[in-house]
Amino acid sequence: DMGGHDTYMHKEISEQPDAVDRVLRGRIDDRFNTVHLGGLNLDPREARGIRRVKILGCGTSYHAGLIGAGLIESMARIPADAEPASEFRYRNPVVDPDTLYIAVSQSGETYDVLAAVQELKRKGARVLGVVNVVGSAIAREADGGVYVHAGPEVCVVSTKCFTNTVVAFALLAVHLGRIRDLSVTDGKRIIEGLRKLPAQIQEILEGEEDIKKLAAEYAEAKSMMFIGRVRGYPVALEASLKLKEISYIHAEAYPASELKHGPLALIEPAMPTVAIVPDDDLLEKNRAALEEIKARSGRILAVAHREQEKADHTILVPKNEDELDPILMGIPLQLLAYHTALALGRDIDKPRNLAKSVTVE
Ligand code: F6R
């Protein structure tokens, strides 16, 4: 049942305010300005003993894991990174007892992720799951974890599960952070930011008509560049994946800082750039990248908290705490991919060559 929407993707994009509300519900503790996660199976002493965090996932879940790693590193001050689960599995990784491994999967059935979890467990590691489907294979195999509570996702490409997974990581980061070095003030600041998300997502969704008009313009592109810096880079990766999956337009994502090390050679009017430009400590650096692109006659669509002079168009998003901005900046780009694919007449819910859950190697 599409509930009045033309596609499941549109329905699922629209459900995000409610979905985010669900992942937050019952988990925030205002007395201690922290977060409780019932199924984690990690006591405070164990949480203090973690020396590294390694996050594993595929596709969109890997991108959510990249943002998650940034959240854990900045709030809990634990070195954290994310890696595609299949790559991890085939390189005979060093498995370290002081590392917390986290497997991310919407379906909980992705074979590459499941196999990585099994291999880790065989070697004695502790593995948590960040999973949407309750009781799925990865949820059962993991030592504990966080359910994402996005509700069923039918469209082959992931939208609401991506957003909810990132919010689940923010919750985990506050939880670990408050056991370690995150102050009461910062815990409170992030919690207040999390509570603002559903209304802010709603506000972004209300700008759909404008995004649709932009999509009509960019649908003619043969190829598009997505750039972001630090927290914005995984947003660029995910937006680029979404666009290529459903519109079949070729897209690349690069850290903005890497432009001059090669990809700048591609910039010309026929290769538009989507730039993630949050109002944070990197704003000036990001603006410099826009200037470099403009100087090569590149067209720019910025996603930003205020109008960007160098950009041809700016999609404005509401500001949250710096750490949580990536959650909001991804949302208009789901709509951009959606309306681009729609303008091109693509089969949005079932893109060619793709399956919802990849249970083979
Ligand atoms: C992209 C997409 C895929 C999945 C990937 C992992 O829109 O849907 O990239 O994210 O196949 O799937 P899960 O999260 O079920 O493990």
Side-chain angles (χ1 to χ4, degrees):
D1 175 26
M2 292 191 202
H5 297 267
D6 292 334
T7 58
Y8 280 106
M9 184 175 182
H10 195 270
K11 174 175 184 262
E12 287 156 9
I13 289 174
S14 308
E15 283 170 347
Q16 291 175 111
D18 287 339
V20 169
D21 201 53
R22 261 197 314 275
V23 68
L24 297 176
R25 204 173 299 154
R27 287 169 159 172
I28 291 173
D29 172 347
D30 287 305
R31 180 159 168 240
F32 291 105
N33 293 296
T34 188
V35 163
H36 294 303
L37 297 164
L40 215 51
N41 287 335
L42 191 73
D43 67 39
R45 189 193 301 255
E46 289 168 325
R48 295 196 69 88
I50 302 166
R51 315 251 327 227
R52 298 195 74 86
V53 172
K54 169 66 93 180
I55 301 170
L56 303 167
C58 297
T60 288
S61 288
Y62 160 59
H63 296 156
L66 285 171
I67 302 180
L71 289 167
I72 290 171
E73 191 155 308
S74 68
M75 294 188 212
R77 303 304 297 157
I78 309 171
D81 68 353
E83 188 177 336
S86 52
E87 289 286 290
F88 177 80
R89 186 156 98 71
Y90 287 120
R91 68 178 172 78
N92 189 24
V94 176
V95 172
D96 160 36
D98 298 328
T99 297
L100 175 66
Y101 295 88
I102 305 178
V104 191
S105 177
Q106 181 284 127
S107 61
E109 303 291 343
T110 300
Y111 184 77
D112 280 321
V113 184
L114 179 62
V117 172
Q118 288 167 338
E119 178 68 1
L120 280 165
K121 293 210 55 193
R122 192 184 65 76
K123 292 183 172 174
R126 179 191 285 273
V127 189
L128 300 184
V130 175
V131 170
N132 189 46
V133 178
V134 175
S136 55
I138 293 165
R140 278 181 278 125
E141 198 77 39
D143 297 302
V146 186
Y147 277 122
V148 161
H149 296 312
E153 194 178 63
V154 177
C155 177
V156 163
V157 304
S158 186
T159 52
K160 63 172 179 171
C161 281
F162 171 78
T163 302
N164 264 38
T165 300
V166 177
V167 176
F169 270 115
L171 290 170
L172 179 61
V174 172
H175 173 82
L176 293 174
R178 289 288 295 124
I179 291 170
R180 298 169 63 119
D181 285 333
L182 191 70
S183 68
V184 176
T185 315
D186 278 333
K188 196 168 168 141
R189 180 176 65 78
I190 299 296
I191 284 170
E192 281 168 4
L194 286 167
R195 285 202 170 110
K196 285 187 200 150
L197 287 173
Q200 289 182 318
I201 295 173
Q202 192 56 46
E203 190 181 329
I204 295 170
L205 297 179
E206 280 158 18
E208 180 168 1
E209 277 310 308
D210 293 332
I211 297 172
K212 187 175 173 178
K213 284 185 202 128
L214 286 173
E217 266 187 56
Y218 288 88
E220 286 157 29
K222 287 271 169 295
S223 189
M224 282 174 80
M225 180 73 81
F226 288 78
I227 59 167
R229 215 178 273 269
V230 189
R231 294 184 192 104
Y233 175 50
V235 177
L237 279 170
E238 173 55 14
S240 143
L241 177 65
K242 216 89 299 171
L243 182 77
K244 69 188 98 165
E245 285 180 299
I246 58 169
S247 75
Y248 316 145
I249 293 175
H250 169 249
E252 301 228 25
Y254 269 95
S257 52
E258 279 288 298
L259 270 183
K260 54 181 163 307
H261 301 293
L264 211 46
L266 293 171
I267 299 299
E268 48 147 346
M271 172 95 164
T273 300
V274 174
I276 313 300
V277 192
D279 239 8
D280 59 16
D281 53 336
L282 297 170
L283 180 62
E284 289 315 313
K285 292 270 170 217
N286 281 320
R287 282 196 170 142
L290 300 192
E291 257 167 64
E292 285 171 16
I293 295 165
K294 211 64 236 163
R296 275 105 189 152
S297 322
R299 283 158 71 208
I300 302 170
L301 170 56
V303 178
H305 296 121
R306 60 172 106 162
E307 211 62 50
Q308 293 304 309
E309 232 174 79
K310 293 287 165 194
D312 298 272
H313 301 99
T314 306
I315 299 175
L316 291 175
V317 295
K319 180 83 182 88
N320 198 303
E321 298 304 322
D322 290 355
E323 294 90 335
L324 304 179
D325 283 333
I327 300 171
L328 293 168
M329 300 196 108
I331 308 246
L333 297 175
Q334 298 173 342
L335 286 170
L336 184 77
Y338 179 80
H339 283 289
T340 305
L342 198 65
L344 295 170
R346 307 300 192 214
D347 185 356
I348 290 177
D349 283 337
K350 288 195 172 58
R352 68 188 184 200
N353 311 340
L354 300 178
K356 181 69 181 162
S357 106
V358 186
T359 51
V360 292
E361 213 163 333

